[in-house]
Amino acid sequence: MSYTLPNLNYAYEALEPHFDKETMTIHHTRHHQGYVNNLNAAVEGTDAENETLETILKNISKHSTAVRNNGGGHYNHSLFWETLSPTGKTTPDGLLAEEINKVFGNLDELKDQIKQAGLGQFGSGWAWLIVKYNGTLAVVATANQDNPLMDTNIANQGYPILGVDVWEHAYYLKYQNKRADYLDAFWSVLDWNVVEKKYAEALGKLK
Ligand code: MN
């Protein structure tokens, strides 16, 4: 089995002015494509060739650094693109909204915690909303292309349902050093419909 770059559900310029066309184009066609190519090379001829990416990530401590970096890179970016939309739902509803209110108090507090997680991630990484294996929501950050599925993140393990890329390649052309402004803009292009769907899928896997 060979990994391929997923198509976006929108044009590169569709998320303007929040995410600019040039960043989106380079990010998808060069950065993400690079992770896909390197992941294919890293798993070729190994047992990992016959495992799903989720299984590989959940057992990442058994794999090479190349699989960890590029398997994470492919998974993280695929989730990121999927949750973005120029016409997304601006607030969550239903069970997810109830859980957010229960755990964080309100949506603004969740947004602030994700912003602080993104700002607090020194260097490159991601900020996440996850469903922990006990079923509760949590905000966590990971370095590089690690993610909360990985068994190396023992304290923060769970299913990611929303992730924000805080590598400089995700925002530098438009926002330069202003990571906070990029993290604020993220909410304007996030589709909570998709996050609700990811939440339901994660709960389904815990049953
Ligand atoms: Mn990226």
Side-chain angles (χ1 to χ4, degrees):
M1 149 181 173
S2 175
Y3 295 98
T4 56
L5 184 69
N7 290 321
L8 303 185
N9 297 321
Y10 39 83
Y12 290 121
E13 65 270 26
L15 306 180
E16 298 258 10
H18 311 289
F19 288 10
D20 64 287
K21 179 182 181 180
E22 190 180 11
T23 298
M24 287 296 297
T25 306
I26 295 169
H27 202 174
H28 183 246
T29 64
R30 299 196 212 163
H31 290 279
H32 191 172
Q33 184 70 63
Y35 299 123
V36 169
N37 295 347
N38 292 335
L39 176 59
N40 283 327
V43 298
E44 194 179 351
T46 74
D47 290 345
E49 256 186 331
N50 304 313
E51 295 173 358
T52 66
L53 185 53
E54 187 171 307
T55 299
I56 291 171
L57 297 178
K58 284 177 169 175
N59 299 283
I60 202 67
S61 59
K62 300 189 183 80
H63 294 276
S64 67
T65 302
V67 172
R68 179 172 176 171
N69 290 340
N70 297 290
H74 179 43
Y75 181 96
N76 297 348
H77 288 85
S78 298
L79 175 65
F80 187 52
W81 307 135
E82 194 184 344
T83 61
L84 304 181
S85 169
T87 55
K89 188 170 149 184
T90 56
T91 52
D93 284 315
L95 193 57
L96 178 58
E98 285 172 29
E99 272 302 302
I100 287 171
N101 290 337
K102 191 156 59 173
V103 174
F104 302 99
N106 56 57
L107 183 60
D108 283 342
E109 177 60 25
L110 165 66
K111 288 181 175 181
D112 191 58
Q113 286 198 24
I114 289 176
K115 182 177 182 178
Q116 296 312 321
L119 287 174
Q121 177 55 46
F122 184 75
S124 296
W126 291 74
W128 306 95
L129 176 63
I130 69 167
V131 182
K132 296 199 294 186
Y133 292 151
N134 68 6
T136 62
L137 294 173
V139 170
V140 300
T142 57
N144 303 314
Q145 294 296 352
D146 284 359
N147 76 46
L149 289 171
M150 293 181 174
D151 60 352
T152 45
N153 290 319
I154 292 166
N156 294 327
Q157 248 185 312
Y159 289 100
I161 61 173
L162 175 165
V164 197
D165 189 344
V166 297
W167 284 57
E168 284 189 345
H169 69 224
Y171 62 87
Y172 204 84
L173 292 177
K174 183 174 175 67
Y175 294 98
Q176 294 84 46
N177 60 316
K178 294 173 283 188
R179 188 186 282 190
D181 291 354
Y182 159 76
L183 285 163
D184 288 339
F186 167 71
W187 303 110
S188 297
V189 293
L190 177 71
D191 186 354
W192 281 101
N193 253 325
V194 181
V195 184
E196 286 173 10
K197 192 185 83 181
K198 295 282 169 195
Y199 180 56
E201 285 172 7
L203 291 180
K205 287 177 187 174
L206 294 175
K207 279 176 187 162

